[in-house]
Amino acid sequence: MTLSEAIKSRHSVRKYIDKPIEENLVSILQEKVDEVNEKGNLHIQLVTNEPKAFKGKMAYGTFSGVTNYFAMVGKKADDLSERIGYYGEQLVLLAETLGLNTCWVGLTYNNIKEAYEKADDEKLCCMIALGYGNDPGRNMKRKGVRDVSNASETTPQWFLRGVEAALLAPTAVNQQKFRFEYVGPDGDGVHRVKAERTFSLIGYTKMDLGIAKCHFEIGAGKENFEWSSQ
Ligand SMILES: Cc1cc2nc3c(=O)[nH]c(=O)nc-3n(C[C@H](O)[C@H](O)[C@H](O)COP(=O)(O)O)c2cc1C
């Protein structure tokens, strides 16, 4: 399964079967955790066979059978949430290609402090539940291309493919508070794309934007453009 196929097949899954993740898959995931921690200056940790985080009243009964998760930890910084989103979604899509299911979890978990490491200057931003799903999840309603971008007949095809991939990204309560703007080639001939979050009372828009940018890059092809800094 390619990453583009993983984008299309992924759904949030909240119910899992009681089956430990195979050793070789744990190794592959751990390798990717090490890679994204290095690239993103993060301290994400893969926690396996730990049933307490998603048990009891904090889990609100929505989740069941979760015994594996990524603890999404990083050093406090203004751009931490966006990096957690961008690099965390790389883990989510890799898990999908390995036949595993996932769900980003902002609130509904117990913080089991002994299960992962966190220094004083670090923050646990959220969790990503991981395992063999008991159901495949479902198709959630999505916004349209024109709701979240300036894609038109005159913008490149790769830009449209990027927006379509971003529309399939998971976002907190499916809010999709992001926007992609094609700003055309500059004097240097490089195509640029501006990605912004839009207003939300709920929050998590920085993390959602990082996740959506990860999808956009896969859909559009990273070689076709650069992110605009303004
Ligand atoms: C940052 C973030 C936080 C989330 N927090 C929760 C959560 O606390 N509980 C939950 O059940 N789902 C949570 N979700 C999952 C979203 O509800 C889900 O991604 C969205 O409804 C779209 O569905 P899909 O992922 O199946 O496409 C979260 C997703 C994101 C990206």
Side-chain angles (χ1 to χ4, degrees), residues 211-224:
I211 298 171
K213 283 171 80 170
C214 167
H215 277 223
F216 185 97
E217 284 183 359
I218 294 166
K222 244 178 138 174
E223 65 287 0
N224 287 319

Side-chain angles (χ1 to χ4, degrees), residues 11-213:
H11 300 296
S12 287
V13 168
R14 298 173 177 84
K15 302 204 185 321
Y16 293 86
I17 60 170
D18 183 18
K19 178 181 166 190
I21 299 175
E22 285 154 42
E23 283 294 316
N24 63 322
L25 302 189
V26 171
S27 307
I28 294 169
L29 289 166
Q30 186 57 53
E31 232 173 77
K32 187 73 181 176
V33 167
D34 295 343
E35 181 199 312
V36 298
N37 280 343
E38 172 87 29
K39 283 188 182 158
N41 189 24
L42 295 166
H43 191 190
I44 299 169
Q45 290 149 70
L46 172 58
V47 180
T48 53
N49 306 316
E50 196 295 285
K52 292 195 291 254
F54 288 86
K55 260 214 177 114
K57 61 177 179 344
M58 260 310 283
Y60 300 122
T62 314
F63 287 87
S64 70
V66 182
T67 56
N68 311 288
Y69 51 87
F70 296 104
M72 304 301 288
V73 178
K75 205 168 164 178
K76 291 171 192 163
D78 281 349
D79 65 345
L80 174 61
S81 292
E82 186 175 328
R83 275 185 287 124
I84 285 282
Y86 179 80
Y87 289 103
E89 188 63 6
Q90 297 186 21
L91 296 171
V92 162
L93 294 175
L94 173 64
E96 184 76 21
T97 68
L98 299 175
L100 294 162
N101 298 105
T102 53
C103 185
W104 284 87
V105 193
L107 290 174
T108 48
Y109 61 86
N110 305 303
N111 188 353
I112 307 300
K113 293 197 170 125
E114 63 274 18
Y116 66 95
E117 290 172 14
K118 183 179 79 65
D120 287 344
D121 62 348
E122 291 182 331
K123 183 181 169 190
L124 173 67
C125 297
C126 66
M127 303 276 214
I128 301 174
L130 173 73
Y132 298 97
N134 202 8
D135 68 50
R138 61 195 176 97
N139 277 325
M140 301 289 288
K141 194 174 185 309
R142 291 301 207 249
K143 291 182 179 176
V145 166
R146 284 186 175 72
D147 299 326
V148 300
S149 77
N150 66 343
S152 72
E153 300 70 40
T154 57
T155 56
Q157 275 303 305
W158 58 258
F159 179 71
L160 178 64
R161 287 196 297 272
V163 175
E164 283 169 349
L167 283 167
L168 294 175
T171 55
V173 297
N174 202 23
Q175 58 184 343
Q176 301 192 282
K177 298 285 188 181
F178 52 72
R179 185 165 176 83
F180 291 90
E181 203 85 29
Y182 174 71
V183 285
D186 274 352
D188 57 8
V190 178
H191 295 271
R192 290 208 163 70
V193 175
K194 196 159 110 185
E196 298 177 310
R197 60 199 180 113
T198 56
F199 179 74
S200 159
L201 284 173
I202 305 218
Y204 291 101
T205 48
K206 288 183 180 175
M207 210 177 284
D208 288 347
L209 184 64
I211 298 171
K213 283 171 80 170

